[in-house]
Amino acid sequence: MTATETARRSRAGGQSSASALPTPPKRSVSRDSRIAAVLFVAPLVIYLLMFYAFPLYRNIELSLHDYTLRAFVQGNAEFVGFDNYLEVFRSSTFGTALANTALFTGLSLVFQYGLGLALAVFFRSSFRLSAVLRGLFLIPWLLPLIVSASAWSWMLNSDNGIVNAALVGLGLEPLNWLTSTGLALTSVIIANIWLGIPFNLVILYSGLQNIPKDYYEAASLDGASTWQQFWRITFPLLRPVSAITLLLGLVYTLKVVDIIWIMTSGGPGDTSTTFATWSYREAFGTGTPDFSPAATVGNLLILIALAFGLLYLRIQKSHEES
Amino acid sequence: MTETKTWWKTALGILFTALMLFPVYWIVNVSLTRTSDLRKSPPNILPLNPTFEGYSAAFSQQLPQLGTSLILGLATVALTLLIAAPAGYAMSLLALPGRNTLGFILLVAQMIPAVVMAMGFYAIYLRLDLLNTLPGLILANSTIAVPFAVLLFRAFMSGMPRELIQAARLDGAGVWRTFTLIVLPLSRNSILTVSLFAFLWAWSDFIFASTLNRSGDLIPITLGIYQYIGNNTTQWNAIMATAVIASIPAAVLLVIAQRYVAAGVTAGAVKD
């Protein structure tokens, strides 16, 4: 899941989770109504067990056994305990993937947030066409990821890409954006930042709408400059929204596979491999699927994502209560 | 003074938007470029000599994939609604035991990486013979949308006017009739929102398609584009033409549905 898709998901998810639970009716609830409730929710519960819990269980099982494709079909893989985990930790890819995941998520978040916030502040003051332009900013968010990723691939193409043509036009050397070890990660980060800006813009813009206008009026009466107003009013009051935006972005950026896979396949070598693409590569990226290490890396990824996810839920809860 | 100031902002805003949308423009531009001009250096900035050879190639080769994606999207919407709407009803308007726990589980479920889900599904589908089938892919795609959909329905339905529900009960409507006759019609907007997102996610899905449906007879358009890139790197105009076509539903759906989503529903319904 990539930043765009996740962003779509999280924006809408944010809306839904923001509203409070209904207060239960005062009168004692009849048994019939309870049974009805259970019946209505039964398809969901069965669905969650079959299509969430079971795949996750299978995943844990895969990581504790030594699955080859043959064992996969026959179902007689050998139990190896935490050997797969040890192997993953010792693997030469581990350090690279860890550093790349940190860089990819960290830099994506910083720039998506920074640019998103700058644009949100810019669009806050209404001017002619501001609503239309703000709407147009959402387009990258709506495109299927394969579309955006292949567009970036072609733009960054070494021989025929517009980016290199522009560099040459400026009298600079063309670069091997996607095929050199030093630049592949930078390239996918740039594409991912571009994908994440709309999400940050939307959330931060709606956060700005909730800051009372009088604060700014009072501040400018007191002679505060626009710069001071931003740092003394906007930024502090936006902090809860910022925290939620960044944490959601973090949880979803950790999972990104498609943009990286489509642009560089994690290469050259491991230079743009993150945990998510590593897991994908082991399981599906080569001719011979290696499910045990793939599931192991995937489970580590879940642990990291859940840790930040729970932090997000906590912050959101305290934000709602305040 | 203010007039010139806003004009300056408009100009800047247009510049920012143009920069942001450049990759989108580039997709369209390349899709209209002649095959012979694709390797030109520097590339044509404007499609002054537009050609539709990319589009005709796209249509002749990718039409089945577009059809597959359409079926996939619609089926995912149907499955998502079928599971999520009753669950949202139970969690908001009926006295469901453990509904807070369930809500929490759904929030957490949204954080699980798709690649992990894909492996689990692969392991299960291998046994059930569901690999490379549309039903298998529909099921997998629905997992992206179901938790979100339930939470959205729950949030929306819990804001529904209680008087309406109670009035229906007094008139002798059972839980089921209240659901189908009152709750569902009133939820039209959230149904549209859920359908919109479920469709878009299924339509744009790459991870599940590339793992669970790699060698199926029917592949969705995302995989069609991906294989296109792998197979003939000379025909980028056709790839980009397919990309443009694949982006149309997203654009159309959002433009059409934005109105419905924004409209307040219950406001009109409780007047009398």
Side-chain angles (χ1 to χ4, degrees), chain A residues 114-126:
Chain A
L115 292 169
L117 181 58
L119 287 163
V121 171
F122 175 74
F123 279 113
R124 186 176 192 268
S125 59
S126 62

Side-chain angles (χ1 to χ4, degrees), chain B residues 65 213-215 219 222-232:
Chain B
Q65 284 78 329
N213 194 15
R214 281 195 290 185
S215 39
I219 58 165
T222 48
L223 216 49
I225 296 178
Y226 185 64
Q227 293 183 352
Y228 232 162
I229 300 175
N231 291 345
N232 53 356

Side-chain angles (χ1 to χ4, degrees), chain B residues 73-255:
Chain B
L74 294 176
T76 306
V77 169
L79 180 63
T80 305
L81 289 177
L82 215 59
I83 291 169
Y89 176 53
M91 288 171 76
S92 59
L93 296 169
L94 302 176
L96 180 75
R99 58 186 161 196
N100 288 351
T101 317
L102 189 57
F104 179 76
I105 291 172
L106 290 169
L107 278 175
V108 171
Q110 290 185 302
M111 294 165 182
I112 298 166
V115 59
V116 176
M117 294 295 287
M119 269 182 281
F121 274 118
Y122 191 92
I124 296 167
Y125 283 5
L126 197 65
R127 293 281 181 77
L128 297 180
D129 239 357
L130 276 172
L131 280 180
N132 302 320
T133 64
L134 271 191
L137 197 52
I138 291 163
L139 268 176
N141 273 326
S142 72
T143 59
I144 313 174
V146 163
F148 154 78
V150 178
L151 292 173
L152 190 95
F153 278 126
R154 182 186 73 169
F156 179 78
M157 288 172 183
S158 52
M160 226 169 241
R162 294 289 152 127
E163 309 92 85
L164 267 179
I165 315 288
Q166 274 157 10
R169 290 292 182 79
L170 285 177
D171 287 348
V175 178
W176 175 252
R177 278 170 63 87
T178 314
F179 178 61
T180 52
L181 295 178
I182 312 280
V183 176
L184 276 187
L186 279 179
S187 309
R188 201 185 63 170
N189 282 11
S190 39
I191 292 174
L192 277 166
T193 311
V194 163
S195 308
L196 176 81
F197 281 100
F199 185 87
L200 281 182
W201 289 331
W203 178 273
S204 341
D205 161 72
F206 172 76
I207 294 191
F208 286 131
S210 69
T211 53
L212 305 175
N213 194 15
R214 281 195 290 185
S215 39
D217 298 330
L218 295 170
I219 58 165
I221 189 65
T222 48
L223 216 49
I225 296 178
Y226 185 64
Q227 293 183 352
Y228 232 162
I229 300 175
N231 291 345
N232 53 356
T233 38
T234 52
Q235 260 199 307
W236 275 86
N237 50 2
I239 296 173
M240 288 304 158
T242 317
V244 170
I245 301 165
S247 308
I248 290 172
V252 170
L253 271 180
L254 216 103
V255 170

Side-chain angles (χ1 to χ4, degrees), chain A residues 1 9 12 19 21-22 29 47 51-52 54 59 72 75 122 125 128 154 160 194 255 261 279-280 284 291, chain B residues 9-10 20 39 83 95 100 110 113 116-117 119 124 126 142-143 148 155 201 207 210-211 214 226 236:
Chain A
M1 179 130 327
R9 225 211 248 220
S19 75
L21 281 168
V29 187
Y47 177 90
F51 303 116
Y52 264 98
F54 193 56
N59 223 62
F72 209 73
F122 175 74
S125 59
R128 196 178 276 262
W154 187 240
N160 307 294
W194 179 79
K255 313 197 288 190
W261 190 257
S279 175
Y280 183 90
F284 306 107
F291 285 97
Chain B
K9 283 208 163 190
T10 305
M20 184 72 181
R39 302 273 162 195
I83 291 169
N100 288 351
Q110 290 185 302
V116 176
M117 294 295 287
M119 269 182 281
I124 296 167
L126 197 65
S142 72
T143 59
F148 154 78
W201 289 331
I207 294 191
S210 69
T211 53
R214 281 195 290 185
Y226 185 64
W236 275 86

